[in-house]
């Protein structure tokens, strides 16, 4: 009897541990597989056309690897380059460091493939050089950045060049005109100027999605340094963009740089002294600039998500399927920002909600509790119809939030009106006085004389 | 000319008053009742412009019921007056008692309807 009891106990223990093991392995497999809730990309394809690039740009690549990215290096003439297989993308992000290769993978990766990759929400880092190929130019112009047409031209600046280099054509530019954005560059200021040597591009005026993150000084121009300038250069001044970023409407992010050298170890480690200033920085701003920018490009920063849109009548907790005109309601939504490892509360005081039917009837700024919960309360307008709660949040550097939730609003039912209203007292009085008059009249009429 | 017009009007008014003095008392009571009803209706009409202006929250249903009760009262009273008037030969077969009973019944229906609409 006792033995039997012990036996069942051990069996129960065994099955329990088996169960735990199954659950544990299931959890493990879940945590290692790709998580759609995790916007930071993990697999990156790096295409380069010079075998030495891997070592000459090692700091940049190593920092990406140390941040947890799997880099897959492929030479641009590798025939096995493919972004997708069986309709699924093999990579989450693409780094195109092959400025001179006219065809990638012997034609296996076409412009359309790259653009489809971006269109499906993946990120792209593109670096060009002087003598950039048509392929690179076309990718950039599809994204809204037009590189200088003259293949021999580079950006030249006789006022803000870097004096630490000996070459005299002033094509090594030290620029510190960054776009002002905490979300793109992080909270720390970039003190040292960024070294740049390469071609400039202009931002397509028709595209509202492209941002100049690093622009040239007003004295810069784009020309061939080895020939005499016979006619005025096409690209001049601050309209030259050295580095641009694009955030597409699907929140894919693209970095376009006119210089591949700016990613190199030599530029990262180089000291910099801007012409005209006496202060010599021990280290250029390139590393900080590109690290912070790559964090933004790879969605480690500035990626928002909104969850748990809730609304209910004031004093209730359940979400009604319909509101009545003039109801008081409470609306709340939670907004989080991806920090690269986890979702953290997003804190801002400019998130607004619209109560919308063809046009916003109510527009209210949401208050927040610093833990990601945004809330407000308002009165449903005196108009019935099918409304929407809308949150349209577009801020520089942040992914755009566009939420809407439909809710109908009905008028009063016939028995929901007030029975007697004060404004109608003259009419009540009139009606009752005729009744009283009828009574008095009847008595008078019947009993006179 | 003007003098004679005033005189004519006065003469007309006097004739009217003297011949109205000959009207039986029961008809006079009915007239008073009709005047009261019309006056009440006019007071309520004044309310539209005076109290509310062009405000669209004006309670149009209640206003119409208030005025209709006065109008209905006046119409029924006039009908009664036609029927009980001795000089009116059209209803000589109809007894005044029957006429008054009709009047009371119609009034009851009218006021029942009005009570229903009031709220």
């Amino acid at each position: 009897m006792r033995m039997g009891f012990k036996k069942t106990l051990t069996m129960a223990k065994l099955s329990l541990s088996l169960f735990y093991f199954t659950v544990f392995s299931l959890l493990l497999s879940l945590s290692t597989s790709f998580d759609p809730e995790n916007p930071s990309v993990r697999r990156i394809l790096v295409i380069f056309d010079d075998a030495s690039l891997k070592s000459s740009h090692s700091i940049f690549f190593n920092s990406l690897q140390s941040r947890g990215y799997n880099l897959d290096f492929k030479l641009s003439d590798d025939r096995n380059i493919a972004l997708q297989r069986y309709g699924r993308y093999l990579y989450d992000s693409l780094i195109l460091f092959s400025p001179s290769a006219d065809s990638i993978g012997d034609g296996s990766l076409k412009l359309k493939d790259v653009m489809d990759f971006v269109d499906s929400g993946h990120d792209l880092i593109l670096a060009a050089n002087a003598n950039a190929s048509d392929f690179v130019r076309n990718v950039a112009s599809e994204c809204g950045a037009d590189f200088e047409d003259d293949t021999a031209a580079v950006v030249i600046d006789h006022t803000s060049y870097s004096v630490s280099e000996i070459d005299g054509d002033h094509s090594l530019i030290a620029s510190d005109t960054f776009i002002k954005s905490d979300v793109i560059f992080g909270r720390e200021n970039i003190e040292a100027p960024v070294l740049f040597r390469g071609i400039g591009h202009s931002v397509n005026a028709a595209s509202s999605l492209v941002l100049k993150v690093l622009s040239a000084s007003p004295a810069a121009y784009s020309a061939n340094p080895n020939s005499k300038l016979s006619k005025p250069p096409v690209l001049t001044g601050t309209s030259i963009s050295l580095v641009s970023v694009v955030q597409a409407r699907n929140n894919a992010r693209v970095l376009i740089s006119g210089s591949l050298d700016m990613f190199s170890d030599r530029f990262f480690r180089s000291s910099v002294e801007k012409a005209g200033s006496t202060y010599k920085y021990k280290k250029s701003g390139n590393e900080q600039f590109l690290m912070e920018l790559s964090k933004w490009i790879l969605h480690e920063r500035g990626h928002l998500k909104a969850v748990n849109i809730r609304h209910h009548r004031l004093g209730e907790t359940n979400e009604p399927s319909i509101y009545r005109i003039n109801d008081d309601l409470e609306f709340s939504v939670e907004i989080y920002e991806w920090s690269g490892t986890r979702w953290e509360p997003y804190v801002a005081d400019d998130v607004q909600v619209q109560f919308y039917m063809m046009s916003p009837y109510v527009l209210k700024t949401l208050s927040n509790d610093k833990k990601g919960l945004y809330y407000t309360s308002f009165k449903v307008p005196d108009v019935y119809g099918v409304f929407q709660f809308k949150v349209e949040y577009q801020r520089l550097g942040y992914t755009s939030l566009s939420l809407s939730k439909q809710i109908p609003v009905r008028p009063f039912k016939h028995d929901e009106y007030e029975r007697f209203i004060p404004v109608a007292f003259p009419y009540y009085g009139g009606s009752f006085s005729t009744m009283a008059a009828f009574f008095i009249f009847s008595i008078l009429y019947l009993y006179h004389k | 000319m003007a003098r004679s017009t005033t005189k004519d009007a006065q003469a007309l008014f006097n004739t009217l008053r003297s011949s109205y003095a000959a009207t039986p008392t029961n008809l006079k009571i009915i007239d008073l009742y009709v005047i009261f009803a019309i006056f009440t209706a006019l007071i309520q009409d004044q309310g539209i412009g005076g109290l509310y202006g062009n405000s669209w929250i004006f309670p149009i249903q209640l206003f119409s019921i208030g005025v209709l009760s006065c109008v209905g009262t006046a119409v029924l009273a006039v009908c009664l007056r036609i029927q009980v008037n001795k000089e009116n030969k059209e209803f000589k077969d109809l007894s005044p008692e029957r006429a008054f009973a009709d009047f009371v019944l119609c009034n009851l229906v009218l006021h029942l309807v009005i009570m229903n609409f009031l709220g």
Side-chain angles (χ1 to χ4, degrees):
Chain A
M1 176 76 187
R2 204 175 160 77
M3 280 292 283
F5 177 68
K6 228 176 183 176
K7 205 172 175 184
T8 41
L9 199 72
T10 41
M11 271 182 78
K13 263 185 180 169
L14 200 74
S15 61
L16 204 69
S17 61
L18 206 72
F19 171 70
Y20 276 145
F21 177 73
T22 323
V23 168
F24 182 69
S25 56
L26 206 71
L27 279 176
L28 204 72
S29 67
L30 272 179
S31 61
T32 50
S33 67
F34 180 71
D35 180 10
E37 278 287 277
N38 175 348
S40 278
V41 291
R42 292 285 145 205
R43 299 158 300 173
I44 305 179
L45 174 64
V46 184
I47 299 176
F48 56 106
D49 54 6
D50 182 2
S52 65
L53 193 110
K54 212 167 150 180
S55 56
S56 66
H57 291 55
S58 62
I59 299 178
F60 180 70
F61 292 134
N62 286 342
S63 90
L64 288 184
Q65 274 164 339
S66 69
R67 291 200 331 247
Y69 297 102
N70 293 322
L71 302 190
D72 194 356
F73 292 94
K74 289 265 169 71
L75 271 170
S76 60
D77 52 4
D78 191 334
R79 284 171 157 275
N80 294 327
I81 292 179
L83 284 175
Q84 58 175 331
R85 185 179 295 151
Y86 307 129
R88 280 178 70 102
Y89 279 105
L90 300 170
Y91 305 98
D92 305 302
S93 183
L94 174 65
I95 297 182
L96 264 182
F97 276 0
S98 57
S100 52
D102 225 342
S103 71
I104 307 288
D106 216 4
S108 63
L109 190 72
K110 296 189 181 62
L111 173 66
K112 188 179 175 297
D113 298 324
V114 177
M115 293 333 292
D116 283 347
F117 185 68
V118 174
D119 284 345
S120 58
H122 298 92
D123 306 322
L124 170 68
I125 295 178
L126 174 77
N129 244 346
N131 304 317
S133 67
D134 281 347
F135 179 79
V136 170
R137 285 166 189 279
N138 288 340
V139 171
S141 84
E142 286 282 330
C143 297
D146 300 316
F147 278 119
E148 161 74 70
D149 286 331
D150 185 357
T151 49
V154 294
V155 183
I156 301 170
D157 194 333
H158 296 302
T159 57
S160 56
Y161 57 93
S162 168
V163 293
S164 52
E165 282 281 307
I166 41 167
D167 67 306
D169 60 5
H170 297 166
S171 65
L172 182 69
I173 289 162
S175 174
D176 52 7
T177 44
F178 311 109
I179 192 171
K180 282 179 185 60
S181 168
D182 275 359
V183 61
I184 294 179
F185 291 128
R187 301 213 185 284
E188 267 180 62
N189 275 341
I190 301 172
E191 302 286 342
V194 170
L195 291 173
F196 179 96
R197 180 160 54 201
I199 56 173
H201 59 268
S202 62
V203 166
N204 191 339
S207 172
S208 57
L209 303 172
V210 195
L211 293 172
K212 275 189 268 188
V213 256
L214 183 69
S215 45
S217 80
Y221 62 98
S222 175
N224 184 350
N226 299 322
S227 69
K228 215 175 157 194
L229 203 59
S230 55
K231 57 179 191 318
V234 182
L235 285 178
T236 54
T238 47
S239 71
I240 302 179
S241 175
L242 306 177
V243 180
S244 297
V245 294
V246 183
Q247 179 170 276
R249 292 198 173 85
N250 62 1
N251 295 332
R253 287 171 176 172
V254 179
L255 181 141
I256 296 159
S257 164
S259 164
L260 181 56
D261 291 338
M262 72 185 300
F263 294 87
S264 69
D265 297 358
R266 198 160 67 87
F267 277 35
F268 273 25
R269 292 284 169 259
S270 164
S271 62
V272 57
E273 185 185 344
K274 202 174 165 182
S277 96
T278 50
Y279 190 77
K280 185 172 176 137
Y281 294 92
K282 284 209 168 58
K283 200 163 155 269
S284 72
N286 283 41
E287 182 167 9
Q288 193 189 350
F289 174 75
L290 288 171
M291 286 308 131
E292 297 302 323
L293 202 55
S294 72
K295 278 181 193 167
W296 183 80
I297 291 287
L298 299 174
H299 288 265
E300 286 175 48
R301 219 171 20 225
H303 190 104
L304 302 178
K305 77 162 179 182
V307 289
N308 290 340
I309 309 176
R310 288 207 187 90
H311 56 86
H312 54 84
R313 287 198 185 91
L314 203 67
E316 293 178 14
T317 48
N318 290 342
E319 185 173 302
S321 58
I322 191 165
Y323 282 105
R324 197 184 65 188
I325 55 169
N326 295 334
D327 266 351
D328 286 298
L329 66 85
E330 280 180 330
F331 173 84
S332 71
V333 63
E334 288 170 40
I335 302 179
Y336 296 99
E337 183 184 358
W338 180 250
S339 70
T341 47
R342 61 197 189 85
W343 292 101
E344 280 173 1
Y346 176 66
V347 179
D349 55 5
D350 54 358
V351 187
Q352 292 183 316
V353 64
Q354 302 172 20
F355 200 59
Y356 187 94
M357 180 171 70
M358 313 264 256
S359 63
Y361 279 74
V362 175
L363 177 64
K364 277 209 94 171
T365 306
L366 299 168
S367 346
N368 73 75
D369 66 350
K370 313 261 182 224
K371 287 176 190 138
L373 179 72
Y374 286 76
Y375 58 91
T376 191
S377 62
F378 58 86
K379 194 188 255 311
V380 175
D382 201 354
V383 181
Y384 60 87
V386 179
F387 280 84
Q388 283 176 317
F389 291 104
K390 264 189 179 221
V391 177
E392 294 283 344
Y393 191 68
Q394 276 131 12
R395 290 294 177 273
L396 176 71
Y398 287 101
T399 55
S400 54
L401 287 181
S402 179
L403 319 166
S404 62
K405 193 168 191 181
Q406 189 169 300
I407 186 83
V409 173
R410 64 168 173 82
F412 284 105
K413 285 180 187 160
H414 77 281
D415 59 349
E416 283 174 337
Y417 289 98
E418 276 180 86
R419 187 140 199 182
F420 298 104
I421 51 176
V423 290
F425 274 136
Y427 312 123
Y428 300 133
S431 307
F432 285 115
S433 72
T434 51
M435 288 175 210
F438 167 67
F439 189 65
I440 295 166
F441 166 76
S442 303
I443 291 171
L444 267 182
Y445 185 80
L446 290 176
Y447 295 103
H448 73 279
K449 270 192 232 165
Chain B
M1 188 73 187
R3 235 183 117 72
S4 71
T5 317
T6 320
K7 229 174 159 183
D8 288 350
Q10 255 175 4
L12 186 69
F13 195 71
N14 282 335
T15 323
L16 202 64
R17 203 168 60 177
S18 55
S19 51
Y20 186 73
T23 313
T25 321
N26 62 340
L27 294 192
K28 279 182 178 166
I29 293 172
I30 295 175
D31 287 341
L32 195 68
Y33 182 54
V34 170
I35 288 167
F36 162 77
I38 291 169
F39 199 67
T40 312
L42 286 178
I43 287 176
Q44 292 180 59
D45 269 332
Q46 288 305 304
I48 302 178
L51 283 178
Y52 308 104
N54 291 324
S55 173
W56 60 276
I57 55 163
F58 173 70
I60 186 76
Q61 298 92 332
L62 291 166
F63 162 74
S64 20
I65 277 305
V67 171
L68 273 179
S69 81
C70 298
V71 173
T73 299
V75 167
L76 291 175
V78 168
C79 292
L80 176 68
R81 194 186 191 282
I82 293 170
Q83 290 174 16
V84 297
N85 193 351
K86 293 274 189 316
E87 287 171 34
N88 191 349
K89 301 295 176 233
E90 196 183 341
F91 294 105
K92 62 176 186 292
D93 301 338
L94 199 76
S95 70
E97 290 77 16
R98 164 72 199 278
F100 188 75
D102 280 353
F103 168 75
V104 168
L105 185 70
C106 289
N107 257 295
L108 285 178
V109 172
L110 174 72
H111 288 303
L112 205 69
V113 170
I114 284 162
M115 290 282 263
N116 263 302
F117 272 87
L118 278 184

